[in-house]
Amino acid sequence: MNTIDEWGFVTNGAEEEPVPEASHGSGAEPKSGSGPGSSKRCPTHNALAKTGRAVGASGESPRAMADAAARKRAAPRTATPASRSYEPQRAARAALTRILEPGDETAGRWLREMGPVALWHALSEDDAPPPVGASPTKFAGLRLRAARARPAADLAAVAALGGRFVCPGDEEWPSQLDDLGDARPIGLWVRGAANLRIWALRSVAVVGARACTDYGAHLATTLGAGLAERGWTIVSGAAYGVDGAAHRGALAADGPTIAVLASGIDHSYPRGHTELIDRIAEQGLVIAELPPGDHPTRSRFVQRNRVIAALTRGTVVVEAELRSGSLVTARRALDLGRFTMGMPGPITSGLSAGVHQLLRGEAAVVTDADEVIELVGSIGELAPERRGPTFAHDLLDPVALRVLEALPARGGADTAHLARESGTPRDLTQGKLFELHSLGFVQRCGESWELVRRANSTEGSRRGGT
């Protein structure tokens, strides 16, 4: 009779051979005595049992789980080895997000060389050797953190929020994050229904000062709305000031937006933006490297910026002081080969000083959504030509304009005088004077011609030439 063992696996008295881990980077061979019926089970298999069976059952009873598993045993099992070798890696990565700090390149090298399962073994098992090159102090600290890792509980918590844990290699994983090398996120905890990879393909980061001016808030809001209306995803950090304004602009335009948090996705920070972050989760996406419940720190804010820079095609800085985290994002974008842009402000404003310093380097000046898209978009997505106001005399041909400019500002002049002053034959000058008369530029007073007093501009300036 089928039963459920203490780890959530189905047993029927006939032990199956354990399936080895996936060959790409697992770095660990299955241990003896770790089969589905064994009571000596490593943390990886514990997490697999809890996440892949007990947690994933969505409240089903053990009896129902056993019956369902028995039916699966009787059915063809072509996909079972792949799924069983995949889930331990997901559980291991989930555990490592609670153990390792975001952006730790040394730990990232261990992860690349050993694979997630072997690295978790090394950090969580008492008799496991430390990773190569690990200092005793760092290794001891990571072992303390490993003791608190509960990947099954974390995966259950994010599932209860309607979220998920996205790993490298998943269909939803944004491959541009791989440009970070060993600083690549271990995985991303995600809230929201949209596909992260698809949304990130056409995305722009909008960042700036928390204590922004009304000018900065206006620019960020209009830029966020303008980009969202054109189908671009706004990515920012959900902070006060420019970040929040950019998100709100995208939401107001019913467009896509992604908030990248420096905390767990269930821990809204800042607290004053709890409602905004919840709305982003409903209409867009909220992502984080840290597992549910984790809190932000100063270093985590800095490391969060590298994800914003790598996830997007370009970064726009709206307002920033000389020592601003937004400049960290912009410079990381430069290092990654992304477009870096800035929106200039008053030279007397300290909140624009950082942006202006950036613009003196390799950043490009942008003033609206069209100019941003011209840089980050596809070939042919050009900003409209910028033109100033059109004046009536701009429409005249060169000869008529020369005759018109020969007329004195006050009083009048005869045709002969105007022909001499303009260097135009008398007959041609006469014809152009009648042309100017019909257009309302000049009037005739006896044998003389004089200017008509009129407004200079025929139409107002139209921003962008549209």
Side-chain angles (χ1 to χ4, degrees), residues 412-461:
D414 60 21
T415 304
H417 175 80
L418 295 174
R420 288 193 303 272
E421 292 296 321
S422 64
T424 306
R426 181 185 177 95
D427 291 344
L428 183 56
T429 300
Q430 186 75 14
K432 291 302 178 181
L433 285 169
F434 282 113
E435 181 181 322
L436 293 170
H437 181 269
S438 66
L439 292 174
F441 285 95
V442 299
Q443 60 187 3
R444 191 167 187 176
C445 299
E447 294 298 324
S448 298
W449 297 87
E450 63 182 31
L451 293 171
V452 173
R453 302 302 172 191
R454 51 174 294 155
N456 287 331
S457 178
T458 60
E459 57 179 309
S461 174

mmCIF file of all heavy atoms in Angstrom, residues 412-461:
data_model
loop_
_atom_site.group_PDB
_atom_site.id
_atom_site.type_symbol
_atom_site.label_atom_id
_atom_site.label_comp_id
_atom_site.label_asym_id
_atom_site.label_seq_id
_atom_site.Cartn_x
_atom_site.Cartn_y
_atom_site.Cartn_z
ATOM 1 N N GLY A 412 8.398 105.682 -46.128
ATOM 2 C CA GLY A 412 8.307 104.875 -47.321
ATOM 3 C C GLY A 412 9.458 105.121 -48.280
ATOM 4 O O GLY A 412 10.352 105.931 -48.026
ATOM 5 N N ALA A 413 9.450 104.384 -49.402
ATOM 6 C CA ALA A 413 10.473 104.514 -50.446
ATOM 7 C C ALA A 413 9.848 104.122 -51.758
ATOM 8 O O ALA A 413 8.950 103.275 -51.809
ATOM 9 C CB ALA A 413 11.672 103.635 -50.124
ATOM 10 N N ASP A 414 10.339 104.762 -52.861
ATOM 11 C CA ASP A 414 9.779 104.437 -54.171
ATOM 12 C C ASP A 414 10.439 103.188 -54.737
ATOM 13 O O ASP A 414 11.411 102.663 -54.194
ATOM 14 C CB ASP A 414 9.903 105.631 -55.123
ATOM 15 C CG ASP A 414 11.345 106.057 -55.330
ATOM 16 O OD1 ASP A 414 12.263 105.235 -55.096
ATOM 17 O OD2 ASP A 414 11.559 107.207 -55.741
ATOM 18 N N THR A 415 9.911 102.755 -55.860
ATOM 19 C CA THR A 415 10.386 101.505 -56.469
ATOM 20 C C THR A 415 11.842 101.582 -56.872
ATOM 21 O O THR A 415 12.606 100.616 -56.681
ATOM 22 C CB THR A 415 9.510 101.162 -57.688
ATOM 23 O OG1 THR A 415 8.141 101.083 -57.290
ATOM 24 C CG2 THR A 415 9.945 99.849 -58.302
ATOM 25 N N ALA A 416 12.267 102.731 -57.425
ATOM 26 C CA ALA A 416 13.650 102.869 -57.864
ATOM 27 C C ALA A 416 14.618 102.730 -56.691
ATOM 28 O O ALA A 416 15.667 102.079 -56.782
ATOM 29 C CB ALA A 416 13.837 104.203 -58.564
ATOM 30 N N HIS A 417 14.280 103.372 -55.575
ATOM 31 C CA HIS A 417 15.132 103.294 -54.393
ATOM 32 C C HIS A 417 15.233 101.851 -53.891
ATOM 33 O O HIS A 417 16.328 101.364 -53.551
ATOM 34 C CB HIS A 417 14.565 104.213 -53.299
ATOM 35 C CG HIS A 417 15.305 104.109 -51.998
ATOM 36 N ND1 HIS A 417 16.492 104.751 -51.772
ATOM 37 C CD2 HIS A 417 15.008 103.410 -50.848
ATOM 38 C CE1 HIS A 417 16.900 104.473 -50.546
ATOM 39 N NE2 HIS A 417 16.014 103.668 -49.971
ATOM 40 N N LEU A 418 14.097 101.177 -53.848
ATOM 41 C CA LEU A 418 14.091 99.793 -53.353
ATOM 42 C C LEU A 418 14.851 98.867 -54.279
ATOM 43 O O LEU A 418 15.497 97.912 -53.836
ATOM 44 C CB LEU A 418 12.648 99.316 -53.178
ATOM 45 C CG LEU A 418 11.828 100.067 -52.104
ATOM 46 C CD1 LEU A 418 10.377 99.603 -52.122
ATOM 47 C CD2 LEU A 418 12.452 99.866 -50.728
ATOM 48 N N ALA A 419 14.790 99.119 -55.594
ATOM 49 C CA ALA A 419 15.544 98.305 -56.543
ATOM 50 C C ALA A 419 17.036 98.454 -56.296
ATOM 51 O O ALA A 419 17.786 97.460 -56.326
ATOM 52 C CB ALA A 419 15.185 98.695 -57.966
ATOM 53 N N ARG A 420 17.499 99.698 -56.066
ATOM 54 C CA ARG A 420 18.914 99.917 -55.793
ATOM 55 C C ARG A 420 19.339 99.258 -54.484
ATOM 56 O O ARG A 420 20.376 98.603 -54.400
ATOM 57 C CB ARG A 420 19.216 101.415 -55.743
ATOM 58 C CG ARG A 420 19.175 102.127 -57.082
ATOM 59 C CD ARG A 420 19.789 103.510 -56.988
ATOM 60 N NE ARG A 420 19.136 104.339 -55.983
ATOM 61 C CZ ARG A 420 18.055 105.113 -56.216
ATOM 62 N NH1 ARG A 420 17.521 105.158 -57.444
ATOM 63 N NH2 ARG A 420 17.521 105.832 -55.257
ATOM 64 N N GLU A 421 18.532 99.442 -53.412
ATOM 65 C CA GLU A 421 18.900 98.918 -52.100
ATOM 66 C C GLU A 421 18.913 97.392 -52.074
ATOM 67 O O GLU A 421 19.730 96.777 -51.379
ATOM 68 C CB GLU A 421 17.929 99.447 -51.037
ATOM 69 C CG GLU A 421 18.030 100.936 -50.780
ATOM 70 C CD GLU A 421 19.393 101.295 -50.198
ATOM 71 O OE1 GLU A 421 19.908 100.521 -49.367
ATOM 72 O OE2 GLU A 421 19.947 102.338 -50.596
ATOM 73 N N SER A 422 18.023 96.764 -52.803
ATOM 74 C CA SER A 422 17.932 95.299 -52.795
ATOM 75 C C SER A 422 18.795 94.657 -53.860
ATOM 76 O O SER A 422 18.951 93.432 -53.876
ATOM 77 C CB SER A 422 16.479 94.866 -52.991
ATOM 78 O OG SER A 422 15.995 95.256 -54.269
ATOM 79 N N GLY A 423 19.343 95.469 -54.793
ATOM 80 C CA GLY A 423 20.149 94.901 -55.863
ATOM 81 C C GLY A 423 19.325 94.040 -56.797
ATOM 82 O O GLY A 423 19.809 93.030 -57.307
ATOM 83 N N THR A 424 18.091 94.493 -57.058
ATOM 84 C CA THR A 424 17.158 93.713 -57.888
ATOM 85 C C THR A 424 16.701 94.591 -59.044
ATOM 86 O O THR A 424 16.434 95.783 -58.846
ATOM 87 C CB THR A 424 15.933 93.281 -57.049
ATOM 88 O OG1 THR A 424 16.385 92.599 -55.880
ATOM 89 C CG2 THR A 424 15.003 92.386 -57.845
ATOM 90 N N PRO A 425 16.604 94.037 -60.251
ATOM 91 C CA PRO A 425 16.102 94.851 -61.378
ATOM 92 C C PRO A 425 14.769 95.510 -61.039
ATOM 93 O O PRO A 425 13.951 94.944 -60.307
ATOM 94 C CB PRO A 425 15.971 93.838 -62.512
ATOM 95 C CG PRO A 425 16.953 92.762 -62.161
ATOM 96 C CD PRO A 425 16.954 92.686 -60.675
ATOM 97 N N ARG A 426 14.548 96.717 -61.644
ATOM 98 C CA ARG A 426 13.365 97.514 -61.301
ATOM 99 C C ARG A 426 12.080 96.757 -61.586
ATOM 100 O O ARG A 426 11.160 96.731 -60.743
ATOM 101 C CB ARG A 426 13.386 98.835 -62.085
ATOM 102 C CG ARG A 426 12.219 99.750 -61.781
ATOM 103 C CD ARG A 426 12.234 100.980 -62.678
ATOM 104 N NE ARG A 426 11.067 101.808 -62.431
ATOM 105 C CZ ARG A 426 11.037 102.853 -61.599
ATOM 106 N NH1 ARG A 426 12.156 103.198 -60.954
ATOM 107 N NH2 ARG A 426 9.944 103.567 -61.427
ATOM 108 N N ASP A 427 11.973 96.119 -62.758
ATOM 109 C CA ASP A 427 10.734 95.416 -63.094
ATOM 110 C C ASP A 427 10.463 94.273 -62.114
ATOM 111 O O ASP A 427 9.317 94.059 -61.693
ATOM 112 C CB ASP A 427 10.811 94.870 -64.514
ATOM 113 C CG ASP A 427 10.794 95.969 -65.570
ATOM 114 O OD1 ASP A 427 10.410 97.117 -65.212
ATOM 115 O OD2 ASP A 427 11.167 95.687 -66.719
ATOM 116 N N LEU A 428 11.537 93.530 -61.749
ATOM 117 C CA LEU A 428 11.362 92.425 -60.802
ATOM 118 C C LEU A 428 11.006 92.964 -59.417
ATOM 119 O O LEU A 428 10.161 92.381 -58.713
ATOM 120 C CB LEU A 428 12.646 91.586 -60.737
ATOM 121 C CG LEU A 428 12.622 90.339 -59.837
ATOM 122 C CD1 LEU A 428 11.477 89.420 -60.224
ATOM 123 C CD2 LEU A 428 13.951 89.603 -59.898
ATOM 124 N N THR A 429 11.629 94.097 -59.055
ATOM 125 C CA THR A 429 11.294 94.712 -57.765
ATOM 126 C C THR A 429 9.832 95.117 -57.729
ATOM 127 O O THR A 429 9.137 94.910 -56.721
ATOM 128 C CB THR A 429 12.182 95.945 -57.519
ATOM 129 O OG1 THR A 429 13.554 95.547 -57.510
ATOM 130 C CG2 THR A 429 11.833 96.623 -56.207
ATOM 131 N N GLN A 430 9.338 95.709 -58.849
ATOM 132 C CA GLN A 430 7.938 96.114 -58.890
ATOM 133 C C GLN A 430 7.019 94.908 -58.719
ATOM 134 O O GLN A 430 6.029 94.958 -57.981
ATOM 135 C CB GLN A 430 7.656 96.789 -60.242
ATOM 136 C CG GLN A 430 6.276 97.393 -60.378
ATOM 137 C CD GLN A 430 6.122 98.704 -59.607
ATOM 138 O OE1 GLN A 430 7.115 99.294 -59.176
ATOM 139 N NE2 GLN A 430 4.883 99.127 -59.414
ATOM 140 N N GLY A 431 7.355 93.810 -59.394
ATOM 141 C CA GLY A 431 6.520 92.608 -59.280
ATOM 142 C C GLY A 431 6.519 92.057 -57.862
ATOM 143 O O GLY A 431 5.471 91.631 -57.353
ATOM 144 N N LYS A 432 7.668 92.084 -57.210
ATOM 145 C CA LYS A 432 7.740 91.565 -55.850
ATOM 146 C C LYS A 432 7.010 92.470 -54.861
ATOM 147 O O LYS A 432 6.440 91.989 -53.862
ATOM 148 C CB LYS A 432 9.211 91.407 -55.430
ATOM 149 C CG LYS A 432 9.948 90.291 -56.169
ATOM 150 C CD LYS A 432 9.249 88.927 -55.964
ATOM 151 C CE LYS A 432 9.928 87.812 -56.735
ATOM 152 N NZ LYS A 432 9.227 86.505 -56.545
ATOM 153 N N LEU A 433 7.012 93.780 -55.134
ATOM 154 C CA LEU A 433 6.266 94.690 -54.261
ATOM 155 C C LEU A 433 4.767 94.421 -54.332
ATOM 156 O O LEU A 433 4.066 94.434 -53.308
ATOM 157 C CB LEU A 433 6.573 96.137 -54.644
ATOM 158 C CG LEU A 433 7.955 96.650 -54.209
ATOM 159 C CD1 LEU A 433 8.255 97.989 -54.868
ATOM 160 C CD2 LEU A 433 7.998 96.781 -52.681
ATOM 161 N N PHE A 434 4.252 94.180 -55.549
ATOM 162 C CA PHE A 434 2.825 93.842 -55.658
ATOM 163 C C PHE A 434 2.522 92.491 -54.982
ATOM 164 O O PHE A 434 1.463 92.307 -54.386
ATOM 165 C CB PHE A 434 2.406 93.819 -57.129
ATOM 166 C CG PHE A 434 2.191 95.177 -57.719
ATOM 167 C CD1 PHE A 434 3.024 95.681 -58.708
ATOM 168 C CD2 PHE A 434 1.136 95.966 -57.266
ATOM 169 C CE1 PHE A 434 2.816 96.948 -59.228
ATOM 170 C CE2 PHE A 434 0.920 97.232 -57.803
ATOM 171 C CZ PHE A 434 1.766 97.730 -58.777
ATOM 172 N N GLU A 435 3.474 91.584 -55.085
ATOM 173 C CA GLU A 435 3.296 90.283 -54.401
ATOM 174 C C GLU A 435 3.246 90.478 -52.893
ATOM 175 O O GLU A 435 2.402 89.901 -52.200
ATOM 176 C CB GLU A 435 4.447 89.345 -54.789
ATOM 177 C CG GLU A 435 4.370 87.964 -54.162
ATOM 178 C CD GLU A 435 5.552 87.101 -54.567
ATOM 179 O OE1 GLU A 435 6.006 87.174 -55.722
ATOM 180 O OE2 GLU A 435 6.020 86.326 -53.680
ATOM 181 N N LEU A 436 4.158 91.322 -52.382
ATOM 182 C CA LEU A 436 4.172 91.595 -50.947
ATOM 183 C C LEU A 436 2.919 92.339 -50.504
ATOM 184 O O LEU A 436 2.422 92.133 -49.388
ATOM 185 C CB LEU A 436 5.428 92.409 -50.588
ATOM 186 C CG LEU A 436 6.774 91.670 -50.746
ATOM 187 C CD1 LEU A 436 7.936 92.655 -50.604
ATOM 188 C CD2 LEU A 436 6.894 90.573 -49.690
ATOM 189 N N HIS A 437 2.421 93.163 -51.397
ATOM 190 C CA HIS A 437 1.186 93.882 -51.091
ATOM 191 C C HIS A 437 0.008 92.919 -50.959
ATOM 192 O O HIS A 437 -0.827 93.044 -50.040
ATOM 193 C CB HIS A 437 0.914 94.922 -52.188
ATOM 194 C CG HIS A 437 -0.320 95.734 -51.940
ATOM 195 N ND1 HIS A 437 -1.569 95.369 -52.415
ATOM 196 C CD2 HIS A 437 -0.514 96.900 -51.254
ATOM 197 C CE1 HIS A 437 -2.453 96.250 -52.045
ATOM 198 N NE2 HIS A 437 -1.851 97.210 -51.341
ATOM 199 N N SER A 438 -0.085 91.958 -51.866
ATOM 200 C CA SER A 438 -1.188 91.004 -51.809
ATOM 201 C C SER A 438 -1.102 90.111 -50.578
ATOM 202 O O SER A 438 -2.125 89.625 -50.083
ATOM 203 C CB SER A 438 -1.188 90.134 -53.076
ATOM 204 O OG SER A 438 -0.032 89.312 -53.134
ATOM 205 N N LEU A 439 0.124 89.917 -50.070
ATOM 206 C CA LEU A 439 0.302 89.080 -48.866
ATOM 207 C C LEU A 439 0.176 89.892 -47.586
ATOM 208 O O LEU A 439 0.224 89.319 -46.491
ATOM 209 C CB LEU A 439 1.685 88.412 -48.903
ATOM 210 C CG LEU A 439 1.888 87.352 -50.006
ATOM 211 C CD1 LEU A 439 3.338 86.893 -50.028
ATOM 212 C CD2 LEU A 439 0.946 86.169 -49.807
ATOM 213 N N GLY A 440 0.004 91.187 -47.711
ATOM 214 C CA GLY A 440 -0.217 92.017 -46.534
ATOM 215 C C GLY A 440 1.028 92.519 -45.861
ATOM 216 O O GLY A 440 0.966 92.998 -44.723
ATOM 217 N N PHE A 441 2.184 92.455 -46.538
ATOM 218 C CA PHE A 441 3.416 92.916 -45.918
ATOM 219 C C PHE A 441 3.638 94.416 -46.108
ATOM 220 O O PHE A 441 4.231 95.059 -45.249
ATOM 221 C CB PHE A 441 4.618 92.157 -46.505
ATOM 222 C CG PHE A 441 4.747 90.735 -46.017
ATOM 223 C CD1 PHE A 441 4.220 89.679 -46.742
ATOM 224 C CD2 PHE A 441 5.377 90.454 -44.821
ATOM 225 C CE1 PHE A 441 4.349 88.384 -46.302
ATOM 226 C CE2 PHE A 441 5.509 89.152 -44.368
ATOM 227 C CZ PHE A 441 4.974 88.100 -45.107
ATOM 228 N N VAL A 442 3.232 94.963 -47.266
ATOM 229 C CA VAL A 442 3.485 96.369 -47.575
ATOM 230 C C VAL A 442 2.181 97.022 -48.063
ATOM 231 O O VAL A 442 1.223 96.322 -48.419
ATOM 232 C CB VAL A 442 4.576 96.516 -48.664
ATOM 233 C CG1 VAL A 442 5.888 95.907 -48.180
ATOM 234 C CG2 VAL A 442 4.136 95.876 -49.979
ATOM 235 N N GLN A 443 2.196 98.321 -48.025
ATOM 236 C CA GLN A 443 1.077 99.086 -48.575
ATOM 237 C C GLN A 443 1.631 100.250 -49.390
ATOM 238 O O GLN A 443 2.752 100.694 -49.175
ATOM 239 C CB GLN A 443 0.181 99.607 -47.444
ATOM 240 C CG GLN A 443 0.884 100.519 -46.458
ATOM 241 C CD GLN A 443 -0.001 100.872 -45.280
ATOM 242 O OE1 GLN A 443 -1.123 100.402 -45.167
ATOM 243 N NE2 GLN A 443 0.506 101.736 -44.401
ATOM 244 N N ARG A 444 0.781 100.693 -50.348
ATOM 245 C CA ARG A 444 1.241 101.749 -51.267
ATOM 246 C C ARG A 444 0.668 103.090 -50.825
ATOM 247 O O ARG A 444 -0.515 103.201 -50.513
ATOM 248 C CB ARG A 444 0.799 101.439 -52.696
ATOM 249 C CG ARG A 444 1.449 102.317 -53.736
ATOM 250 C CD ARG A 444 1.220 101.774 -55.116
ATOM 251 N NE ARG A 444 1.968 102.509 -56.125
ATOM 252 C CZ ARG A 444 2.014 102.205 -57.404
ATOM 253 N NH1 ARG A 444 1.313 101.151 -57.858
ATOM 254 N NH2 ARG A 444 2.719 102.925 -58.251
ATOM 255 N N CYS A 445 1.516 104.080 -50.796
ATOM 256 C CA CYS A 445 1.119 105.437 -50.451
ATOM 257 C C CYS A 445 1.619 106.365 -51.570
ATOM 258 O O CYS A 445 2.768 106.840 -51.541
ATOM 259 C CB CYS A 445 1.711 105.877 -49.117
ATOM 260 S SG CYS A 445 1.199 104.866 -47.715
ATOM 261 N N GLY A 446 0.755 106.572 -52.574
ATOM 262 C CA GLY A 446 1.171 107.352 -53.734
ATOM 263 C C GLY A 446 2.206 106.587 -54.527
ATOM 264 O O GLY A 446 2.000 105.457 -54.943
ATOM 265 N N GLU A 447 3.385 107.225 -54.728
ATOM 266 C CA GLU A 447 4.460 106.586 -55.469
ATOM 267 C C GLU A 447 5.390 105.789 -54.557
ATOM 268 O O GLU A 447 6.342 105.168 -55.020
ATOM 269 C CB GLU A 447 5.276 107.659 -56.203
ATOM 270 C CG GLU A 447 4.510 108.384 -57.284
ATOM 271 C CD GLU A 447 4.056 107.435 -58.390
ATOM 272 O OE1 GLU A 447 4.816 106.486 -58.724
ATOM 273 O OE2 GLU A 447 2.945 107.622 -58.897
ATOM 274 N N SER A 448 5.117 105.811 -53.252
ATOM 275 C CA SER A 448 5.999 105.162 -52.278
ATOM 276 C C SER A 448 5.366 103.873 -51.738
ATOM 277 O O SER A 448 4.139 103.665 -51.807
ATOM 278 C CB SER A 448 6.302 106.104 -51.110
ATOM 279 O OG SER A 448 6.989 107.251 -51.569
ATOM 280 N N TRP A 449 6.251 103.064 -51.184
ATOM 281 C CA TRP A 449 5.818 101.832 -50.524
ATOM 282 C C TRP A 449 6.311 101.877 -49.074
ATOM 283 O O TRP A 449 7.406 102.344 -48.791
ATOM 284 C CB TRP A 449 6.422 100.603 -51.207
ATOM 285 C CG TRP A 449 5.987 100.436 -52.636
ATOM 286 C CD1 TRP A 449 6.553 100.974 -53.743
ATOM 287 C CD2 TRP A 449 4.896 99.656 -53.075
ATOM 288 N NE1 TRP A 449 5.897 100.597 -54.871
ATOM 289 C CE2 TRP A 449 4.852 99.765 -54.497
ATOM 290 C CE3 TRP A 449 3.915 98.867 -52.464
ATOM 291 C CZ2 TRP A 449 3.900 99.136 -55.289
ATOM 292 C CZ3 TRP A 449 2.974 98.223 -53.240
ATOM 293 C CH2 TRP A 449 2.954 98.356 -54.626
ATOM 294 N N GLU A 450 5.501 101.374 -48.167
ATOM 295 C CA GLU A 450 5.901 101.325 -46.759
ATOM 296 C C GLU A 450 5.407 100.026 -46.121
ATOM 297 O O GLU A 450 4.529 99.341 -46.656
ATOM 298 C CB GLU A 450 5.370 102.543 -46.001
ATOM 299 C CG GLU A 450 3.871 102.627 -45.955
ATOM 300 C CD GLU A 450 3.397 103.872 -45.234
ATOM 301 O OE1 GLU A 450 4.088 104.909 -45.271
ATOM 302 O OE2 GLU A 450 2.299 103.799 -44.640
ATOM 303 N N LEU A 451 6.015 99.725 -44.993
ATOM 304 C CA LEU A 451 5.667 98.485 -44.286
ATOM 305 C C LEU A 451 4.302 98.581 -43.631
ATOM 306 O O LEU A 451 3.865 99.649 -43.192
ATOM 307 C CB LEU A 451 6.715 98.176 -43.209
ATOM 308 C CG LEU A 451 8.129 97.811 -43.690
ATOM 309 C CD1 LEU A 451 9.082 97.755 -42.503
ATOM 310 C CD2 LEU A 451 8.102 96.470 -44.416
ATOM 311 N N VAL A 452 3.638 97.424 -43.558
ATOM 312 C CA VAL A 452 2.386 97.309 -42.811
ATOM 313 C C VAL A 452 2.721 96.782 -41.424
ATOM 314 O O VAL A 452 3.436 95.791 -41.286
ATOM 315 C CB VAL A 452 1.398 96.364 -43.521
ATOM 316 C CG1 VAL A 452 0.182 96.113 -42.657
ATOM 317 C CG2 VAL A 452 1.001 96.941 -44.866
ATOM 318 N N ARG A 453 2.203 97.448 -40.389
ATOM 319 C CA ARG A 453 2.443 96.998 -39.024
ATOM 320 C C ARG A 453 1.593 95.754 -38.779
ATOM 321 O O ARG A 453 0.377 95.785 -38.916
ATOM 322 C CB ARG A 453 2.068 98.085 -38.022
ATOM 323 C CG ARG A 453 2.829 99.388 -38.243
ATOM 324 C CD ARG A 453 4.307 99.175 -38.178
ATOM 325 N NE ARG A 453 5.063 100.371 -38.569
ATOM 326 C CZ ARG A 453 6.356 100.375 -38.783
ATOM 327 N NH1 ARG A 453 7.039 99.261 -38.671
ATOM 328 N NH2 ARG A 453 6.975 101.493 -39.140
ATOM 329 N N ARG A 454 2.248 94.608 -38.390
ATOM 330 C CA ARG A 454 1.524 93.354 -38.228
ATOM 331 C C ARG A 454 2.243 92.493 -37.193
ATOM 332 O O ARG A 454 3.401 92.720 -36.851
ATOM 333 C CB ARG A 454 1.433 92.598 -39.556
ATOM 334 C CG ARG A 454 2.778 92.427 -40.242
ATOM 335 C CD ARG A 454 2.691 91.549 -41.468
ATOM 336 N NE ARG A 454 2.338 90.195 -41.089
ATOM 337 C CZ ARG A 454 1.730 89.342 -41.910
ATOM 338 N NH1 ARG A 454 1.401 89.721 -43.138
ATOM 339 N NH2 ARG A 454 1.448 88.126 -41.516
ATOM 340 N N ALA A 455 1.548 91.460 -36.721
ATOM 341 C CA ALA A 455 2.156 90.512 -35.783
ATOM 342 C C ALA A 455 3.212 89.698 -36.525
ATOM 343 O O ALA A 455 3.040 89.345 -37.690
ATOM 344 C CB ALA A 455 1.089 89.592 -35.188
ATOM 345 N N ASN A 456 4.301 89.399 -35.868
ATOM 346 C CA ASN A 456 5.394 88.685 -36.517
ATOM 347 C C ASN A 456 5.100 87.209 -36.745
ATOM 348 O O ASN A 456 5.449 86.650 -37.763
ATOM 349 C CB ASN A 456 6.671 88.818 -35.685
ATOM 350 C CG ASN A 456 7.271 90.202 -35.762
ATOM 351 O OD1 ASN A 456 7.105 90.879 -36.772
ATOM 352 N ND2 ASN A 456 7.943 90.619 -34.691
ATOM 353 N N SER A 457 4.457 86.573 -35.775
ATOM 354 C CA SER A 457 4.303 85.114 -35.853
ATOM 355 C C SER A 457 2.948 84.748 -36.397
ATOM 356 O O SER A 457 1.911 85.285 -36.005
ATOM 357 C CB SER A 457 4.473 84.495 -34.463
ATOM 358 O OG SER A 457 4.284 83.099 -34.521
ATOM 359 N N THR A 458 2.919 83.804 -37.353
ATOM 360 C CA THR A 458 1.659 83.329 -37.909
ATOM 361 C C THR A 458 1.068 82.180 -37.129
ATOM 362 O O THR A 458 -0.113 81.917 -37.209
ATOM 363 C CB THR A 458 1.868 82.860 -39.363
ATOM 364 O OG1 THR A 458 2.825 81.801 -39.364
ATOM 365 C CG2 THR A 458 2.381 83.995 -40.224
ATOM 366 N N GLU A 459 1.902 81.500 -36.344
ATOM 367 C CA GLU A 459 1.413 80.397 -35.517
ATOM 368 C C GLU A 459 2.356 80.199 -34.348
ATOM 369 O O GLU A 459 3.521 80.562 -34.400
ATOM 370 C CB GLU A 459 1.311 79.096 -36.318
ATOM 371 C CG GLU A 459 2.621 78.654 -36.962
ATOM 372 C CD GLU A 459 2.454 77.365 -37.695
ATOM 373 O OE1 GLU A 459 1.939 76.412 -37.103
ATOM 374 O OE2 GLU A 459 2.848 77.292 -38.867
ATOM 375 N N GLY A 460 1.846 79.679 -33.282
ATOM 376 C CA GLY A 460 2.657 79.460 -32.088
ATOM 377 C C GLY A 460 3.605 78.300 -32.282
ATOM 378 O O GLY A 460 3.494 77.499 -33.175
ATOM 379 N N SER A 461 4.582 78.236 -31.364
ATOM 380 C CA SER A 461 5.520 77.118 -31.391
ATOM 381 C C SER A 461 4.810 75.842 -30.995
ATOM 382 O O SER A 461 4.042 75.819 -30.031
ATOM 383 C CB SER A 461 6.660 77.392 -30.394
ATOM 384 O OG SER A 461 7.495 76.289 -30.303
#
